[in-house]
Amino acid sequence: MNFKILAVLAAFIFFTSCKKVFNVEHAGGKITTDQEWSTPDFIKGYVTNFYGILPAWNRDFDISAEAFGNGSGGATLNPFLNGTITSQGGYPDRVWDYASVRSINNFFANIEKAKSVLDESDYKSLNGQAYFFRAYLYYRMVKVFGGVPIITSVQDPTADMNTLLVKRNTSLECFDFITKQLDTAIDLLPTTWGSGDIGRITKGAAMAVKGEVLLLKASPLFCKNPNPSYWADAYNSLLAAKNELDADGYGLYTDNTMTTNQNMWYDKSGAAKEMVLYVRYHYPEKTNTFQQGQRPLTESSGLAGVCDPTWEMVKEYPMKNGMDINDPNSGYDSTEFWKNRDPRFYTDIVYNGARYDFADITPRVEWIFNGIGDIDGYKAFNLTGFYCRKEIDTTLGATSWSHQAFDWPIIRYAEVLLNLAEAANETGHSSDAKNLIIQIRQRAHIDEGNGNYGLDPLVGTDYQTTLNAIMKEREIEFAFEGKRFWDLRRRRMFGVLNNLRTLHAYGPYFNAAVASSKYSIDVTQTNSGIASQLSNILVNSPANFDRDAFLKDITTYVKQPIDNSASNEINIPESYYFAPIDPQYILQNKNLEQNIGWDNGTFNPVIQ
Amino acid sequence: MKKSKLLQLVFMLLAILLFNTSGIAQRKISGVIEDAKTNMPLEGATISVKNSKISAISKADGQFQIDVPAGNVTLNVSFVGYRTEKMPITENENIVIRLQPDSVGLNEVVVVGYGTQKKENLTGAVGVIHSSSLSDRPTSSPANLLQGLSPGLTVTTQGSYPGASANIKIREASTWQGGSDPLYVIDGFVRDAAAFASINPADIDNISILKDAASAAIYGIRGGNGVVLVTTKQGRGGSASISYNASYTLNTREIIPRKMNAYDNYVFTNNANLQLVPATDPSIYTPDELDYFKTHSNDWVNDTWRNPWNTSHNLSASGGSKVARYYISGGYLHQEGATSNSFDKYNFMAKLGGNITDRVSYNLIINGEWGNGDRPFWAYDGGDFNLSNMYNRLIMVDPGRPSFINGLPVGNGDNTNTANLAKGNGGYTRPTNNYISPSFELKYEIPGIKGLSAKGSFAYNTSNNYTKAWRNAPYIYYFKTTGTHNHIITDQLDSARSGGYKILDQAQIAGVGAPTQLNESYSQLSNYQLDLMLNYENSFGKHNISAFGGYEQSASKGHFSNIWDNNYSNPNYQQLNGGSPNSTDWRIQGDQYQPTGFASYLGRIDYNYASKYLFGVTFREDGSYVFPSNKRWGFFPSISAGWNIAKESFFSRYNKFLDFLKLRVSYGITGTDNTAPWQWQQTYNFNANSNVYLGSSLYPSTSLGSTINPSITWERNHNYDLGLDFATPNRLISGIVDYWYKKTTNILGARNASVPSTVGASLPAVNYGIASAKGLELSLSHENHIGELFYSVSANWAISSNEYLRVDQAASVRDYQNLIGKPVNGVIYGYVSEGIIRTQEDINNILQKNGDSYTIFGSKPQLGMLNYKDIRGPLGTDSPDGKIDNNDQVPISLNGVPRVNYGFNLTIGWKGINVTSIFAGLAKYDIMPTDVYYRRPLPYGNDNLLIWKNAWTPQTAATATMPSAIMNDWKSISNSQMSSSFWLKNGAFLRLKSLTVDYNIPGTILQKVSIKSIRVYFTGENLFEWNHTKDWDPELGGDFRTYPILKGFTFGLNATF
């Protein structure tokens, strides 16, 4: 009896569960190929994913001499600057993203069969975005390496290895490929998007990128010998981009005043018209915590000293009258270097004794005095004597800094103007170039003066003077936005960095004797006690009190190298204009030639 | 119980009286058979009279009666797993015979996969560990106890806390895929390491370690790393036996890194700093400050540390009738940790088994555990009870900083105060977990065919984990500083500080941005296993055969969710609904576990002829959900043979020297499915959060999944084992030697190294790699009786190695990076040190040798640096290139993991007193210390080990044993902190793992109070370690800040009623 029951039971369990046991589900989130290409939302989601290709917060300020960024561990020159990087790492923004290339190629391999399920307008705009991102991705790669292999098919990794050992295309072939992709994208993309899609690529953005690509192609980086027709292409396409953007409602953000917290970094809706190509952020969904270490440590946590402006950068800012500080007529007083500077100086640079209010502590004075400034002080967590305030949201205090969420511009309208100015100057339209610079200076509230906004009288007539003015304007306008290094590289101007020899701090030290005798500061108090007395004087003295003189009196500035080591000399080798390909890729594929100057390389990325 | 005992005694006395008066030339002897170690009665022991055929068997309570001829006779008492005792009987008496457990008892029954075998008939390499080796040692987890007990079993402790199981590795792996965790099978139910760790050690009867294919291949699919088979205690039937164990353990730190005190530390940092800055620099400690620090030095670990202790109690009862034998047990463990943490664990087990009819028997097991932990909230604790990261932070603190002043946590210098958080002032984490695992088995002896039976069993396990974590940011306080350079922290609050003298602890806010947070997570996992088996066992003359075949199926599934809310308006109301209603403050996360499914057909046939010639065959056909249906099934057979040479007649003349000699040989295949499922099916991923913000929301996105491998299938692990077992009469010397070789083919891995990067595909795993491993294992033991003195010595030793035979590599990989022929694990890459650059003359020599443009990681050679050997240049330059950079690395050691493990045990017993010691060690082992902590002192005074006192300075140039303290990140250069042969340390060690002294109170005393046995014991755990690394324990790797393995002192009591 028992046996029968057991046998029946056993047979039952056996036959019902044996097959079923393998019927397990995916752990979630998986879509089959058929589902993917028959569902419009999935296809749109596939293209949305391409937006991850856009770079954000690649600021590269430490290799452009703008700032020093070494955290709390010490102060060492970026190995790029002293020429000690290797082909295995250290070159900035070295994108070799063939995974995204494959992803986009896969879109083109499938989109035709999905045409029937998509609206005509969606079909067009999805294609337009895909073409744009394929172009943009190759542009990012070609920018650092020169020519790279152009791959437009979805390769089978199990295919005959020899068919996968691709060669590099020439830089020229790559530029042509990118331009063609962009032309297609420009035809397909809309000029504006609905409110739910703000932040997607517009026709104007694609045109601005095309202008930038052609500017790069014509630039001295790729053309050691100028090619007038390349410059003409760049000029024409940038002019077309500007006209399209103007027509589509883009323009300069004009409410920029010198008051902190009232500039385009905070006025998100006002600044929208200047955002041509950008990455959107929003609290709480997507925040940017990149400035954690840029804030003074008392208004941050865990990290500090990662973006402290160098003395070299601080000196670059013109005066309020637009003149360079080296100009004898500029009115620059080196003992009160913070006085009467370009308004952009005050939104970018925090100097010792500057007001730096935060939501949780107001009024607040930033004391960077060595010793007195405590953990925020020079040589405690501060490396240079300065803090950078650009892109810092001071409405957020020490407990909420991580909520910061403004949009990160990749191309601002201002850059389109200065790109156009550069191309104009190269094609004999120097006076147009001057007008474009003046638009930027006007917006920055530089004094109009005689109508030149402090520009050298030769700007607009002399090619080299105009070029210098453009580069300077780019340096100041886009300071700490990740442009300076790439501008110097594009113009083959690493010599500017090499001539600096090394980077310096301008460290503020407290002059206790004067503070005590002249301002009755009780200097026997503890550091924080002294700091609190000093703040009181700055904040509460009557309006006619000469605060600049006060700061000057109590401070002794010491200029000293930030990096004290024997290897602190800036010495960027000629070969660094182009990035080396990571040798691991060459070990895989002997057909990939290395760039000249790296690991016995033979590939020449220069067009002419 | 009391009554029956008394009756028996009366009966026996009557019997003796009767015999005495009867005058017949025969008499009855009665007595009790007990385990000499535990005093537990033994059921089923054979009592025979020497030189006669008279014999008897002991009953459940150990009692026996036997008729013996008059006069002097000798009783032979034998029992499986025990040494045979010879007991001369001179007078009529009620005797107690105590049997010594026999470590190599040939008649011992060994638990093997899906059954048991007599040790004599084993053809596989199986290590057996009895409960007697495990008891008396305080631990919450049995894994910790296995160290040093079996050759080829490498056990490395991860710290001394409950739930933290030791890592167990059986032999060396011949694959680089997946972990080296063996398979754990508890009472026939396949479980994981966590389940093994949570089992109550008091419930374990024995553990078998299946090392070779002959024994492990029956687990086919998951037997590749060997198997740990755990059998828990069974009800013995008969009258009830109750046993109670209790222990109390106090722990202390065994190895304490030698750090500098405040004064030494600042003299040292001054010496280093003065090479960079003038004495007026505020970073320099001035004489008045140094003077102060001579008498003021802090140690944050001491400020918070309390010696952890724990206590455990176990109560078990067994007994019953033929219909229902039972074993029930309950265990309780309470542990107090080194900070304000504690842990409680409750185990229970209930087993019921018996015969329903003559042919039908059953077994029911219910096993469960509850665990409740409570520890300070620590943002980086990674779920570990002993808060090793917190320990790490406490031990690194600059000794000049006090942790508390007048009871207030000090904030100066760091914005956070770890000591305050360690005391529980920043919230708590309270994990609770429980599992319950019932199983049921029914066995039927099929009529008609002798020895044929059918068995069905079903086991189920469900576990639930719930963790509540409350984080709050306590205030920390700033105090005024004094001293010429303000290095001394006074006891006056710094009221002038911008932002106030008290702030919220910043580490508690980091990443949250809110001063309070409640986080609750919940997970639930379940799995089952179904077995249907047919067994056959019979003998035909000298032909003995046993066989079984069956079907097994198992599956698992699970669920996880996590929810948190920030900003609690009333921090005393710590419930989820008390948090901020603002949607930006809360978050819900969830995850779906990948369900699994497996099915198998398996079987085994064992045959022997008179226990002389032994053959075994096993097979397993395994199906895994991981692979596509046409590649799902894998066949894993094994074959083995043994020859008991000592039983051969030609060997008989040697039997007085060697009465046991067996040669074993086995070959078999095991498999691994250690890779992600679905790699054969093209998919796209749905990303609910694309991290792309457009318009006014985060858009969902889809992305292309990996390319596929439609023919993905099993890794195949070929195992060979050659073994020799031998023993001399009376086990004076016995031993086992095994030589093994493994080769794994079809190792799964993505071919990322060789497929050109431009393909851009995320690649699936393919069956490509090949690796091998081999090793030698020896164990030797000696035991002897001298009168009442019993002693045994046993030692085991194993060496192993492995190598890559085929692995995916770039087409033109450079020679020094070529993996072929190199060990699969334990290769340490680094630079070849040429020593400290001590003098200018050294620099001149270096430049002369290497050229004037010679640089070391971009720097010109400087005094106090380490110099390295220039070996090659970048791709295309295979000779020295005049600079040291990352192209100059070589494998500086191939022994980054221990290649040798060994252990020895000593036991001495005399009149109920036993002393047992276990030594365990690892050898042929090199360690590269972790860089930031050991190779690189930091300028802020944290972490500085005493060894740095002898760093290079201009004054100590000739005698320094360490490079200059500033030739590293301190001076913003790369030099001394690189992995190099300069820092390579010998990691070999020998540890006195445990020393136990126990005493059995004589039964004659106990019988009066109706107690069967009482044992009291004292155990010292991790009492001493012989090593080459003074500042840390090599068993934990190369970081002195790792939470230490603790030294424990235990007092315990076992009583049986």
Side-chain angles (χ1 to χ4, degrees), chain A residues 90-294:
Chain A
Y91 204 94
D93 207 24
R94 197 161 60 141
V95 182
W96 184 266
D97 187 5
Y98 278 91
S100 292
V101 169
R102 180 183 186 87
S103 183
I104 298 172
N105 288 342
N106 184 58
F107 171 87
F108 290 115
N110 287 284
I111 192 64
E112 285 313 309
K113 71 181 176 204
K115 196 171 180 179
S116 59
V117 300
L118 291 168
D119 294 344
E120 176 63 22
S121 65
D122 283 347
Y123 175 78
K124 264 180 70 177
S125 67
L126 290 170
N127 268 299
Q129 292 172 82
Y131 277 109
F132 172 84
F133 281 109
R134 184 148 75 178
Y136 196 76
L137 194 53
Y138 274 102
Y139 165 56
R140 285 189 73 185
M141 296 201 277
V142 172
K143 186 173 166 183
V144 293
F145 294 108
V148 295
I150 298 173
I151 293 167
T152 54
S153 64
V154 184
Q155 292 180 334
D156 175 4
T158 61
D160 176 8
M161 199 61 96
N162 290 320
T163 65
L164 301 177
L165 299 180
V166 293
K167 289 191 164 69
R168 293 175 71 174
N169 289 80
T170 65
S171 300
L172 193 57
E173 286 166 349
C174 289
F175 277 111
D176 290 347
F177 173 76
I178 294 164
T179 314
K180 283 199 184 100
Q181 299 290 303
L182 283 171
D183 284 339
T184 314
I186 289 165
D187 284 345
L188 293 167
L189 285 167
T191 53
T192 53
W193 289 88
S195 61
D197 288 298
I198 288 174
R200 288 192 187 273
I201 309 299
T202 61
K203 181 176 188 172
M207 292 178 78
V209 169
K210 186 185 168 191
E212 197 178 286
V213 169
L214 291 174
L215 188 74
L216 178 68
K217 178 187 172 189
S219 67
L221 181 67
F222 281 98
C223 297
K224 286 180 168 173
N225 306 306
N227 182 322
S229 85
Y230 290 178
W231 279 118
D233 289 348
Y235 176 73
N236 291 334
S237 96
L238 282 160
L239 193 59
K242 179 182 180 298
N243 291 338
E244 178 69 36
L245 290 168
D246 289 343
D248 298 341
Y250 290 92
L252 283 179
Y253 170 77
T254 47
D255 295 338
N256 236 10
T257 68
M258 64 172 288
T259 317
T260 318
N261 281 7
Q262 286 179 16
N263 63 35
M264 62 175 290
W265 295 101
Y266 305 90
D267 182 3
K268 203 164 175 171
S269 58
K273 64 192 282 202
E274 185 157 346
M275 295 293 189
V276 173
L277 182 64
Y278 62 111
V279 179
R280 268 173 82 79
Y281 288 85
H282 190 262
Y283 176 77
E285 298 92 334
K286 186 176 181 178
T287 55
N288 34 38
T289 54
F290 304 93
Q291 299 88 333
Q292 177 185 6
Q294 183 181 322

Side-chain angles (χ1 to χ4, degrees), chain B residues 45 129 169 182 245 248 320 335 337 488 584 589 866 881:
Chain B
I129 295 160
K169 185 164 78 174
N245 305 330
Y248 173 83
Q335 174 146 2
I488 299 169
T584 57
Q589 285 185 332
L866 290 180
D881 67 337

Side-chain angles (χ1 to χ4, degrees), chain B residues 631-691:
Chain B
K631 296 285 179 183
R632 175 166 291 152
W633 292 93
F635 183 63
F636 305 107
S638 83
I639 180 160
S640 57
W643 180 25
N644 271 320
I645 302 167
K647 294 199 171 204
E648 295 286 356
S649 52
F650 67 78
F651 198 81
S652 58
R653 58 182 141 150
Y654 304 112
N655 276 3
K656 57 187 166 194
F657 309 113
L658 213 55
D659 67 350
F660 176 56
L661 180 66
K662 181 166 76 174
L663 191 65
R664 290 178 279 110
V665 58
S666 76
Y667 165 71
I669 302 172
T670 53
T672 323
D673 62 349
N674 223 328
T675 190
W678 310 113
Q679 294 185 76
W680 42 276
Q681 200 180 58
Q682 181 62 61
T683 57
Y684 286 77
N685 302 311
F686 178 78
N687 316 308
N689 178 356
S690 59
N691 206 27

Side-chain angles (χ1 to χ4, degrees), chain B residues 847-869:
Chain B
L847 292 179
Q848 195 178 6
K849 185 181 161 201
N850 299 291
D852 281 345
S853 60
Y854 180 73
T855 54
I856 305 172
F857 304 114
S859 303
K860 295 203 171 306
Q862 295 169 54
L863 292 172
M865 275 186 169
L866 290 180
N867 187 31
Y868 302 103
K869 191 171 179 188

Side-chain angles (χ1 to χ4, degrees), chain A residues 1-3 6 10 13-14 17-18 21-22 24-33 36-37 41-43 45-49 51-52 70 72-76 84 86-88 96 98-100 102-103 106 110 149 151 155-158 161 164-166 195-200 280-286 297-298 300-301 361 364 370-371 374-375 379-381 398-403 509 525-529 532 563-567 583-590 592 599-600, chain B residues 277 281-282 357 360 413 415 442 444 446 454-455 478 480-481 486 494 496-499 504 506 509-514 528 530 532 551 553-555 584-585 587 591-599 601 623-625 632-633 678 681-687 690-704 707 751-763 810-814 817 857-859 862 874-877 885-887 939-940 969-973:
Chain A
M1 165 198 91
N2 291 310
F3 176 64
L6 204 66
I13 296 172
F14 184 78
S17 52
C18 177
V21 71
F22 298 116
V24 299
E25 297 288 324
H26 267 303
K30 302 284 187 198
I31 305 163
T32 64
T33 305
E36 171 69 32
W37 298 106
D41 282 348
F42 287 169
I43 301 170
Y46 192 79
V47 170
T48 298
N49 200 48
Y51 281 77
N70 217 35
S72 52
T76 182
T84 56
T86 70
S87 55
Q88 284 153 41
W96 184 266
Y98 278 91
S100 292
R102 180 183 186 87
S103 183
N106 184 58
N110 287 284
I151 293 167
Q155 292 180 334
D156 175 4
T158 61
M161 199 61 96
L164 301 177
L165 299 180
V166 293
S195 61
D197 288 298
I198 288 174
R200 288 192 187 273
R280 268 173 82 79
Y281 288 85
H282 190 262
Y283 176 77
E285 298 92 334
K286 186 176 181 178
L297 191 61
T298 48
S300 178
S301 60
I361 306 177
R364 184 180 177 283
N370 178 259
D374 199 22
I375 50 176
K379 287 207 165 168
F381 280 91
T399 58
S400 55
W401 56 264
S402 61
H403 298 181
Y509 288 82
Q525 289 196 16
T526 60
N527 292 336
S528 56
S532 135
D563 179 347
N564 280 303
S565 71
S567 56
Q584 63 165 315
Y585 303 139
I586 296 173
L587 289 172
Q588 291 172 335
N589 177 0
K590 58 183 189 305
L592 273 186
D599 299 0
N600 313 307
Chain B
V277 296
D281 191 272
T357 70
V360 179
N415 281 341
L442 213 52
Y444 178 68
I446 297 167
K455 189 170 88 173
Y478 283 82
K480 289 180 181 167
T481 52
N486 277 301
D494 188 357
R497 184 180 175 273
S498 164
L504 295 175
Q506 292 291 293
I509 289 172
V512 187
Y528 75 86
L530 170 77
L532 301 169
Y551 171 76
Q553 168 181 325
S554 63
T584 57
D585 277 322
R587 191 74 61 88
D591 193 10
Q592 195 187 344
Y593 274 63
Q594 173 65 54
T596 65
F598 304 96
Y601 300 91
S624 167
Y625 77 103
R632 175 166 291 152
W633 292 93
W678 310 113
Q681 200 180 58
Q682 181 62 61
T683 57
Y684 286 77
N685 302 311
F686 178 78
N687 316 308
S690 59
N691 206 27
V692 174
Y693 188 87
L694 294 168
S696 51
S697 62
L698 284 176
Y699 265 65
S701 77
T702 60
S703 56
L704 181 60
T707 52
R751 299 198 60 187
N752 292 320
S754 62
V755 173
S757 56
T758 44
V759 173
S762 165
L763 299 169
S812 37
V813 63
R814 300 186 74 182
Q817 291 170 320
F857 304 114
S859 303
Q862 295 169 54
L875 193 54
T877 309
D885 58 21
N886 54 13
N887 293 304
Y940 302 108
D969 305 55
W970 200 336
K971 206 180 170 185
S972 310
I973 56 173

